[in-house]
Amino acid sequence: MAHEILIVEDERNIALSLEFLMKQAGHTVRCVADGQDALDAVADLLPDLILLDVNLPTLDGYTVCSTLRADERTREVRVLMLTARGREIEREKGLAAGANDYLTKPFSTRELVERVATLLGEA
């Protein structure tokens, strides 16, 4: 079953790779490059899952995630944070903001696809 995935990533090459992987897995994909655009896209799209970078223009991923969790309409959207920030304190901060999962860059494409499937209930 195809799911709607929103990719929020400001590095174009990474966004293209993520888009390719998610489409290969059979999902419908939309990409945005900054935090405010992410919130606007979620309001318009209400995706099944968001692949959310932490370091973004306008609003960082932590702010985007906590904003989604504070809104009753978007509270249940699954969020997988993707970031180069690998320290445990950063992971804890992401999960405290409401992320369902947290994956550090660079990551294995297989691991990413498996985690997405798990979050979408496909595993």
Side-chain angles (χ1 to χ4, degrees), residues 19 65 74 87 122-123:
E19 180 178 19
C65 194
T74 59
R87 295 185 2 226
E122 299 175 340

Side-chain angles (χ1 to χ4, degrees), residues 29-47:
V29 179
R30 181 169 172 190
C31 297
V32 297
D34 75 54
Q36 186 57 56
D37 287 347
L39 293 176
D40 295 342
V42 170
D44 179 49
L45 182 67
L46 201 59

Side-chain angles (χ1 to χ4, degrees), residues 1-5 22 25-28 48 120 122:
M1 179 171 123
H3 289 92
E4 193 76 39
I5 296 180
M22 294 302 102
H27 304 298
T28 304
D48 298 300
L120 294 172
E122 299 175 340

Side-chain angles (χ1 to χ4, degrees), residues 6-109:
L6 176 64
I7 296 169
V8 186
E9 172 60 63
D10 62 328
E11 291 186 39
R12 182 85 175 123
N13 290 338
I14 295 173
L16 288 171
S17 296
L18 293 171
E19 180 178 19
F20 175 79
L21 285 171
M22 294 302 102
K23 285 184 175 180
Q24 284 286 106
H27 304 298
T28 304
V29 179
R30 181 169 172 190
C31 297
V32 297
D34 75 54
Q36 186 57 56
D37 287 347
L39 293 176
D40 295 342
V42 170
D44 179 49
L45 182 67
L46 201 59
D48 298 300
L49 180 120
I50 301 169
L51 297 178
L52 180 62
D53 188 18
V54 171
N55 296 320
L56 296 166
T58 67
L59 299 171
D60 67 26
Y62 301 124
T63 303
V64 171
C65 194
S66 53
T67 301
L68 294 172
R69 294 302 181 238
D71 184 333
E72 188 174 310
R73 185 169 172 260
T74 59
R75 184 171 292 143
E76 300 301 319
V77 174
R78 285 152 285 197
V79 175
L80 173 57
M81 282 192 158
L82 302 171
T83 181
R85 297 180 179 187
R87 295 185 2 226
E88 185 61 27
I89 190 79
E90 299 293 341
R91 182 180 186 283
E92 289 172 9
K93 187 175 175 182
L95 296 174
N100 299 91
D101 202 354
Y102 190 98
L103 191 58
T104 304
K105 297 174 188 175
F107 48 81
S108 119
T109 55

